[in-house]
Every structure is written in C-alpha cells, then in structure tokens.
Amino acid sequence: MLLFFTLGLLVHFVFFASIFDIYFTSPLVHGMTPHFTPLPPPARRLVLFVADGLRADALYELDENGNSRAPFIRNIIMHEGSWGISHTRVPTESRPGHVALIAGFYEDVSAVAKGWKENPVEFDSLFNESKYTWSWGSPDILPMFAKGASGDHVYTHSYDAKKEDFGAHDATKLDSWVFDNVKDFFHAARNNQSLFSKINEEKIVFFLHLLGLDTNGHAHRPSSRDYKDNIKKVDDGVKEIVSMFKHFYGNDGKTTFIFTSDHGMTDWGSHGAGHPSETLTPFIAWGAGIKYPQKVSAQQFDDAFLKEWRLENWKRRDVNQADIAPLMASLIGVPFPLNSVGILPVDYLNNTDLFKAESMFTNAVQILEQFEVKMIQKKEVTLSFLFTPFKFQVIQDLVASLLSFPLSHFVGYLLVFTLGIEILVLSFFYRYMLTAGLIAFAGWPFLTQMWTQAKITSLSWTLFSLLLAVFPLMPVVGRKPNISLVMGAGLLVLLLSLFVVTSLMKRKASFIKEELWVHGLQMLSTVLSMYVVHSTHSSLLKKQGVPLMNQFVSWATLASSLVVPLLSSPVLFQRLFSILLSLMSTYLLLSTGYEALFPLVLSCLMFVWIYMEQETLQRSGVSCKQKLTSIQFSYNTDITQFRQLYLDDIRRAFFLVFFLVTAFFGTGNIASINSFDLASVYCFLTVFSPFMMGALMMWKILIPFVLVMCAFEAVQLTTHLSSKSLFLIVLVISDTMALNFFFLVKDYGSWLDIGTSISHYVIVMSMTIFLVFLNGLAQLLTTKKLRLCGKPKSHLI
C-alpha cells in the first residue's frame, strides 16, 4: 500500500513539474553577433526618463482649468519633438516594462520560477551595449541591468528600499532624490577629471527612474491630488535636468531626450493586467536625431484621445514598448540589444533615407539571427524525425470513434459525474458558477426527506447557502475600501460570541471556571482588531503612517491565532467556535471591505453542514445521532469504527472540493496580483516588502481553507468516515479536473492570464497533497490541548 501511495505521489509530481518544462522554458537564446548601423549616429549621448506608473491620459490631458499638468513636456510636443502612445504589453509591471524599454523583449515566461521578481537568465540591453551608463532611482530596478552587464561600465545610484513606503507623507521625495543626485553628479564631475572625461565620451546613456508616481498611485489612486501634483513635480524636474544638460555640454545639439513610462495604472491604483489605463503610456522624444513637431489637419486613430487631449493638430506617432530599445540604440550608434524583438520606429528619426534604410536592415538581421540560433538549438535536442510541424491527426479520430458507439446506461452515469466536475472547472473561470452551485445546494434539503425530519437545520442550511452565494457576485477588483463593513463584521462576531458564551454558561457550570477566560481573551482580541483597523485607516488618511502600537498588536494577534484555540475545550462545538474567533481577529486586520464577512458566513454554513450530515446518516440508518456538545475532537477513533464507503460519500467529497474552491475564489482570484489591494496589509506594514506582503496575503487566503477543513474534521468524526477513503475520491475528482487545465495553460499574455492558467493547474494537481497538509493543520487545531496549569478536567456532559 505504501509503495503504491509513494508511486502515486511521484507520478503526480512529474505531471506537476511537466508544465514548467513544456510551457515555461526561457525563450531567450545566446550566441548571436552584435549588429549596429555602420553610419555615424546623430547623438553622442541619450537621457532616458522613465516615470514609473504614469498613465498616458494623466500626462496629456488638460486639467479642469484648461491647463497642462506638465507644461514643459507639452511645450516639447508642440515645438521641439515627436510624441505618441507607447503600447505596453501585459504583464504591465515594472520589471518586464523596463526590460521591454531597455532590452527590447517582453516578459520572459520562465520568470515564473523566480516569482516574477527578476529575469532568470542573463540578457543583453542598451546599457550593456553602451560605452557607459549612469542610472539613478529604485533599488528594485537598477541592479537588474547592472547585474547582467559585461564589464564595469554600468553605474547605479539608488536610495534605500525603505523609502518606498506607501504610507509615507510625501512620495515625491523619491523623484526629488533622483533629480538632486543627478545635479550633484554633474557638479562633482567638473572637479573629477576621470569622471569628466567619461561623461564626454560618445555612446553613453543617462537613466533617471522616477518612482514617485507609482507609489502615490498605489497609495492614493491616480485621480488623487497627490498623483496629479506629482506629475507637475516630475515636469519641473525634467525641465531642470534638460537645462542642465544643455548648459553642461554647451548646447552642442548631440543629446537625445526620451520621456516615457513602464506601465500605467487602473483607477483603483493597481497594475499588471491589460486594461487600457495600464497599457497606454506616454512617449515623447526630442533632441538629436528626432523629428520636429509636424502639424496636420486630420489623423486616423481608433480612439478619441486626440480631441480629449487637444492635440489633434500635432502628428501622433504610436510605438510598441519594445520598439523603443532599437530606436535608442540607433540614435547613439550602439549595437541593437541581442535579445530585442523591437521594430525600429523610423518615423521618429530625423535623418537621411540611407541612414534609415541601414538601420532597418540591421534591425531585421538582428531579429533573424535570434530565430536561426533558436532553430539550431531546438534541432540539437530533438530527434530528427520529431522535428516536424505539429499535426492535429489523432484527437479528432478518437472522438469520431467514440461517437460511433451507442449510448448506454453507463455513459449516462458518466455524463452526470462529468457534468459535476465541469461545473467545478467552470467556477475557476466564472465565479458566478459558485453562486449557481450554492443555490443548488440550498435546494438540497427539499429534494430529500430531511426537510420533514429537521426543518430548522434545513432552513438554516438554505439561508446560509444563499448568503454565501452572494459573495462570488461581488466585484474582485476596483472596490474602494469600506471600513464600515469591516467594523460591522467585527460587531457580528462579538454578538455571536456573547450569544454562544451565554448559552454555554447556562448548560455547563464548569465552562465558567475553565473556558470563560479563553473566550474572553478572544473577544478582546476581536475588539482590538476592530480598533487597529479603524485607527490605521484614519492615520493613513491623514498621511501620518501606521502607528507602531498598531503594528505590534497586529503581529501579536497573528502570532496568537494558532495558539489560543489550543487552550479551549476539545469538545467539538467549543473548539470549532474558538478556532473561528481566533482566525476572525486576524482576518479583520487583513480586510478592507465586504470580504470581512466571508469567513463568518462560511463558518456558519460549515456548522450547519455538520448537523446536516448527521441527519443524513441517521435517516439512512448508518449511525445514531450524537450531540455535538458530547463529542470530543481528542477522541482517538478506533480503526474498527471506520465504515465502508457509501454512494453518499462521493457527495461529501464533492461538497468538500466545492467548499474549498469557494474558499479560494469566494472573494477574488489569487492568480492575479491585480486582484489584490495592498491596503489589506497596511495594519502590519506599509514599507514595500513583496515577500512579507505576499506571505500575509497568502495567510488571508488560507484562513477560509482552515475553517472548511476543521469543519470537515468534525464531519469525518461524526460520520466515521476514513480520511484515506476520502482522499481516494478527491484524487479522482482533482485528476479529472487537471486534465482540463493541463490543456489550458498559457505562456503568453498578462500575469493575470499566465498566472491564472498556472494556478488553476497547480491547484488541482496539488489538491490531494494540499489536503494532507490542511488535514494535519486541522487535526492540530482541533485535537491538541494546551494546559497552562492545573489538572485536566472532564468536559463530558
């Protein structure tokens, strides 16, 4: 038995790992020869401004008074350079956005193995091909290009990562730091002969990464005064830097300036997906080698932006984000980045036809060589007879063969089973399918005899099923924080606690002595959580940051949430209720709106589910009904008391899988970073820390899981259902679902698309293993008893 179990785990692990080898091997190749335009370039140096998180409309549109928020840049558009929209590609995040700008290629799908944090393989970039590059800005972006550079010619100047604080009073200081340090750098160069000589070389790049807008957008939203004022701050800073460059180099006309953004931002302050507010970014170029403004009478575009921005008379030249890298390389005469897939936007070049033709030819040869190297590498690792185009000759024949057989009774049952599984699959894509399933669950008692035997239990099941069905219909993203709902959820928890404690005190005298202080501590924790949420929200609105005491209370509540339940009685009802109270305190701290009510409603349904399963078994005559106040979790069930599987156990396993999926997607989609609001973790920290924030969000996701599994521990205990038997049924369900998701894995598109397809497959493939982990955690929370002092007391009635 152990051998088959081990073999089964091994097979599932191989299938689990296979998608990363099939779909997520890096497309980047190495071994190409550098190619550059052989003619003299128009510029000796290039200055690249990247305003992180700047939307195109936020820069180009006029304010309510008809004035530009960036008068200097608008003057450039009308009198000095060329402009357009840079169309970014999903995922609209800082790392892939900067890679596209500076290296000329889009997201490396193998970055999934690095948690999307950095590029997993070395790549060539404009900075690497330059003679020297100096960069100023965020420590999250600059090291990425210095890390893969050959030689010691890419210099970075970064501020401390702690300055990237979403709760900071003034995020524009990040941009001021960059502008001030650039000015100090050039001032110091006048007294440093070695540095002065380097910055007067040709083929050099200056990169200014401006993070203030992204930080203000996340913290205050792009429609806020903070975000709009930050645009003016950036415009003033760019004006000063341009003036300084012209003065330093004596107006030699050999400097090219480019201003753009890595990505935009949604109205609710997030990015990562493919909404136009995220993919449309500004692009302005002026200086050496760039066309001057061209006035036109009419332009043909599929949008109405030109009229909205009052720029309909100035020629708009749109580009794809990866096209900017070959443009910059052509302007200063360095080889095109070896991994670039960008197409040179010749419409921006103010040069001879010969120069444009040579540049286009070089661009084409550079892209062609990547294909040739990739093809050679593919042939080397593939059997010759297998290196042929894929044909879709086999699945169609199989389907045709199956359709030739007559339908039978067995096929009918198979279709019913498949229909239930496919509903689960659809729920991964369409959350309202969970609502449909819960509505169907609500009618379950009325389709059986339970409605006549246990009316109150049946009505409770229907009520909480319908209440839970509301949550998948609620919006995933775009919702504004609603602290009043969080406060309301906390108040409901307190009222429920008072009702339960009062009821238990009337039934059991021993409860007063041993358990009252535990539940009192948990109720106090709930009150503190409500206070911390309200206090943190108010403090951030005043831009005063998060009080240190709030952070201390939050971390203490989190740390105690898995310990305090172990102090309560192991009696089934009391232990489950204690687990709910502890986990709800933490969940309140991680909530910003309606999701705070989700675990409470889910838990109520789980309590009723336990009663429903008892009624089902009693009706079928399998076992007698026991009071939940007389069953102890710590009771070691004898293996001889396990019963054989019944057909109804398949329904129980299906219910478990359905409730787990509901816990997963009930309030959002974890596959998308775009679905999360960083405000959820502000009670714990505001300084950007992706791993810590990710861990907190993951625990928030796991809390409903733990509640479901603890409830199912009670179901197994009261129905004498073996865990091994359950896992066999869940294994069949999850593997059938996995076949669907295996063919739906994507290696292109936004992080929303890629991440969703991966997570769907990973979830169902890992479900059995994940259940083992959750089952162990649930057993720990339900069966273990900590005793601080005194002798153990009996809790049997």
Side-chain angles (χ1 to χ4, degrees):
M1 184 67 181
L2 180 61
L3 176 62
F4 284 108
F5 181 74
T6 305
L7 182 61
L9 285 179
L10 180 61
V11 170
H12 279 79
F13 178 78
V14 171
F15 277 110
F16 169 75
S18 67
I19 65 163
F20 297 100
D21 180 64
I22 295 171
Y23 292 102
F24 298 100
T25 300
S26 176
L28 298 186
V29 293
H30 299 86
M32 291 80 70
T33 304
H35 296 276
F36 60 92
T37 306
L39 301 177
R44 292 176 58 87
R45 67 199 70 91
L46 181 138
V47 182
L48 173 62
F49 301 95
V50 177
D52 202 306
L54 176 59
R55 293 165 46 149
D57 58 350
L59 180 73
Y60 291 141
E61 69 185 3
L62 302 180
D63 62 18
E64 56 275 8
N65 297 320
N67 300 320
S68 173
R69 299 189 185 98
F72 174 75
I73 292 177
R74 192 168 183 96
N75 182 71
I76 293 292
I77 293 173
M78 295 180 172
H79 300 99
E80 293 189 40
S82 296
W83 76 285
I85 292 177
S86 171
H87 295 265
T88 68
R89 185 178 293 185
V90 288
T92 47
E93 298 287 347
S94 293
R95 178 187 56 79
H98 280 87
V99 170
L101 283 170
I102 298 166
F105 67 89
Y106 297 105
E107 178 63 286
D108 181 353
V109 293
S110 65
V112 65
K114 296 286 186 178
W116 308 112
K117 183 62 178 175
E118 61 179 84
N119 277 73
V121 297
E122 292 187 358
F123 59 93
D124 192 27
S125 69
L126 174 76
F127 296 173
N128 186 44
E129 296 293 350
S130 69
K131 192 163 188 177
Y132 296 107
T133 292
W134 290 271
S135 56
W136 295 264
S138 168
D140 296 324
I141 298 298
L142 305 189
M144 177 170 54
F145 297 98
K147 177 182 177 181
S150 57
D152 185 20
H153 65 285
V154 178
Y155 306 100
T156 62
H157 306 271
S158 303
Y159 39 74
D160 192 291
K162 293 182 179 179
K163 290 183 178 290
E164 300 176 6
D165 188 349
F166 297 117
H169 177 69
D170 185 11
T172 61
K173 292 181 180 179
L174 299 175
D175 299 336
S176 299
W177 186 97
V178 172
F179 293 134
D180 292 342
N181 275 264
V182 173
K183 287 183 271 188
D184 293 342
F185 172 83
F186 275 89
H187 179 74
R190 295 184 182 276
N191 302 316
N192 186 326
Q193 186 58 41
S194 174
L195 180 58
F196 186 83
S197 175
K198 287 180 179 180
I199 62 177
N200 277 282
E201 295 275 3
E202 60 180 11
K203 306 181 190 303
I204 60 174
V205 177
F206 301 92
F207 171 44
L208 284 70
H209 175 243
L210 308 170
L211 188 62
L213 283 163
D214 187 73
T215 306
N216 268 321
H218 283 306
H220 308 294
R221 310 299 187 256
S223 60
S224 66
R225 176 53 56 191
D226 304 81
Y227 187 87
K228 295 175 181 178
D229 288 346
N230 202 154
I231 295 177
K232 181 63 169 65
K233 185 82 172 182
V234 167
D235 184 69
D236 291 339
V238 170
K239 180 180 180 180
E240 293 178 6
I241 296 299
V242 170
S243 176
M244 183 201 69
F245 265 87
K246 290 181 178 180
H247 177 71
F248 187 89
Y249 290 104
N251 289 307
D252 64 354
K254 291 294 182 179
T255 306
T256 301
F257 299 94
I258 288 181
F259 181 90
T260 187
S261 175
D262 55 346
H263 57 75
M265 187 171 289
T266 63
D267 292 339
W268 51 91
S270 66
H271 52 82
H275 191 273
S277 61
E278 300 168 89
T279 61
L280 303 183
T281 59
F283 181 73
I284 304 98
W286 70 100
I290 299 296
K291 279 186 177 179
Y292 288 99
Q294 180 181 350
K295 298 201 72 172
V296 293
S297 57
Q299 302 185 69
Q300 297 297 324
F301 286 94
D302 294 332
D303 53 62
F305 293 142
L306 289 170
K307 187 174 181 180
E308 293 175 10
W309 301 337
R310 300 183 188 177
L311 290 171
E312 56 265 43
N313 295 326
W314 280 267
K315 185 173 178 61
R316 168 179 155 187
R317 299 176 170 93
D318 285 9
V319 297
N320 291 322
Q321 193 173 52
D323 300 342
I324 299 173
L327 173 64
M328 295 189 294
S330 175
L331 287 167
I332 59 175
V334 299
F336 288 28
L338 295 176
N339 303 113
S340 172
V341 297
I343 300 174
L344 178 67
V346 292
D347 200 27
Y348 271 84
L349 293 177
N350 182 18
N351 215 313
T352 63
D353 290 341
L354 177 61
F355 182 87
K356 294 178 182 178
E358 287 284 359
S359 298
M360 293 169 65
F361 177 74
T362 303
N363 187 196
V365 171
Q366 170 259 323
I367 294 176
L368 176 62
E369 190 170 1
Q370 290 185 73
F371 167 76
E372 292 173 341
V373 171
K374 184 69 174 179
M375 185 174 65
I376 293 172
Q377 291 181 355
K378 194 69 176 177
K379 281 186 175 180
E380 289 176 349
V381 298
T382 308
L383 296 175
S384 58
F385 68 91
L386 294 177
F387 196 77
T388 56
F390 176 76
K391 294 182 180 179
F392 194 65
Q393 78 269 30
V394 180
I395 298 178
Q396 290 177 336
D397 293 340
L398 178 62
V399 173
S401 176
L402 290 175
L403 290 177
S404 65
F405 290 96
L407 294 177
S408 65
H409 196 62
F410 171 77
V411 174
Y413 280 115
L414 183 62
L415 287 176
V416 172
F417 177 76
T418 304
L419 178 63
I421 300 246
E422 290 304 314
I423 290 176
L424 280 175
V425 172
L426 287 174
S427 69
F428 278 63
F429 298 96
Y430 309 103
R431 292 173 59 235
Y432 58 78
M433 293 301 296
L434 295 174
T435 298
L438 288 167
I439 292 175
F441 283 7
W444 172 45
F446 302 98
L447 300 177
T448 63
Q449 298 297 323
M450 278 186 292
W451 163 245
T452 58
Q453 294 179 353
K455 292 185 178 180
I456 296 179
T457 303
S458 299
L459 286 175
S460 300
W461 169 267
T462 300
L463 172 63
F464 289 115
S465 294
L466 293 176
L467 286 177
L468 194 64
V470 175
F471 289 92
L473 299 177
M474 302 294 284
V476 177
V477 294
R479 60 182 187 269
K480 296 181 180 179
N482 192 336
I483 303 302
S484 60
L485 288 177
V486 182
M487 296 295 103
L491 184 60
L492 286 176
V493 171
L494 289 176
L495 292 176
L496 181 63
S497 302
L498 290 173
F499 174 76
V500 171
V501 170
T502 303
S503 300
L504 290 175
M505 288 174 62
K506 291 180 179 179
R507 295 182 181 180
K508 298 173 59 178
S510 60
F511 175 80
I512 302 176
K513 300 177 181 179
E514 186 174 355
E515 306 297 332
L516 183 59
W517 72 272
V518 176
H519 290 290
L521 179 63
Q522 292 175 320
M523 292 170 65
L524 176 61
S525 178
T526 302
V527 173
L528 287 175
S529 296
M530 295 171 62
Y531 169 77
V532 168
V533 170
H534 184 271
S535 173
T536 299
H537 181 70
S538 301
S539 181
L540 290 176
L541 286 179
K542 299 175 183 177
K543 299 182 181 180
Q544 296 176 350
V546 180
L548 183 61
M549 182 56 67
N550 287 14
Q551 291 179 306
F552 174 79
V553 172
S554 298
W555 286 108
T557 302
L558 175 62
S560 64
S561 61
L562 294 179
V563 178
V564 176
L566 305 183
L567 300 174
S568 65
S569 168
V571 174
L572 189 146
F573 181 84
Q574 292 170 228
R575 178 57 65 92
L576 288 180
F577 187 69
S578 180
I579 293 171
L580 170 63
L581 289 185
S582 286
L583 294 181
M584 272 303 299
S585 297
T586 303
Y587 203 88
L588 290 174
L589 293 170
L590 292 168
S591 299
T592 60
Y594 76 88
E595 79 272 22
L597 296 165
F598 179 74
L600 184 60
V601 177
L602 178 65
S603 296
C604 291
L605 182 60
M606 292 299 99
F607 277 110
V608 179
W609 184 30
I610 299 170
Y611 282 102
M612 290 288 286
E613 294 298 352
Q614 278 195 308
E615 294 290 346
T616 303
L617 282 181
Q618 185 183 24
R619 181 173 56 86
S620 61
V622 176
S623 67
C624 297
K625 183 178 178 181
Q626 293 178 281
K627 292 184 178 180
L628 299 188
T629 53
S630 66
I631 303 175
Q632 290 198 35
F633 270 118
S634 57
Y635 177 68
N636 295 320
T637 306
D638 188 357
I639 191 171
T640 59
Q641 294 185 342
F642 287 145
R643 56 178 176 78
Q644 64 180 5
L645 285 175
Y646 291 94
L647 191 62
D648 215 26
D649 292 326
I650 299 178
R651 176 193 55 76
R652 292 186 178 92
F654 181 82
F655 273 21
L656 172 62
V657 175
F658 190 92
F659 286 137
L660 288 175
V661 173
T662 302
F664 222 62
F665 298 108
T667 59
N669 186 339
I670 70 141
S672 170
I673 295 177
N674 201 39
S675 298
F676 289 133
D677 189 350
L678 290 176
S680 297
V681 300
Y682 283 175
C683 290
F684 294 87
L685 73 167
T686 58
V687 175
F688 183 67
S689 176
F691 293 104
M692 187 63 69
M693 289 178 170
L696 289 170
M697 294 305 303
M698 187 57 65
W699 179 236
K700 180 181 180 181
I701 294 166
L702 284 176
I703 286 176
F705 275 90
V706 175
L707 294 173
V708 172
M709 284 306 300
C710 288
F712 197 74
E713 274 291 307
V715 171
Q716 291 182 83
L717 183 62
T718 57
T719 60
H720 304 292
L721 179 61
S722 169
S723 297
K724 292 181 180 179
S725 301
L726 166 73
F727 289 151
L728 287 176
I729 302 174
V730 173
L731 182 65
V732 174
I733 296 175
S734 62
D735 282 357
T736 307
M737 294 171 63
L739 287 175
N740 290 266
F741 294 120
F742 179 82
F743 294 103
L744 295 175
V745 173
K746 294 182 179 180
D747 58 357
Y748 59 89
S750 69
W751 285 6
L752 176 63
D753 298 327
I754 297 174
T756 298
S757 67
I758 297 174
S759 65
H760 288 171
Y761 182 77
V762 170
I763 289 167
V764 293
M765 285 301 297
S766 306
M767 187 170 292
T768 306
I769 301 174
F770 190 51
L771 277 178
V772 174
F773 163 75
L774 282 179
N775 190 57
L777 180 59
Q779 285 186 351
L780 175 68
L781 287 174
T782 54
T783 62
K784 298 300 179 182
K785 170 68 175 176
L786 291 181
R787 302 187 186 279
L788 300 181
C789 62
K791 297 181 179 180
K793 296 182 179 180
S794 173
H795 293 270
L796 295 176
I797 294 180

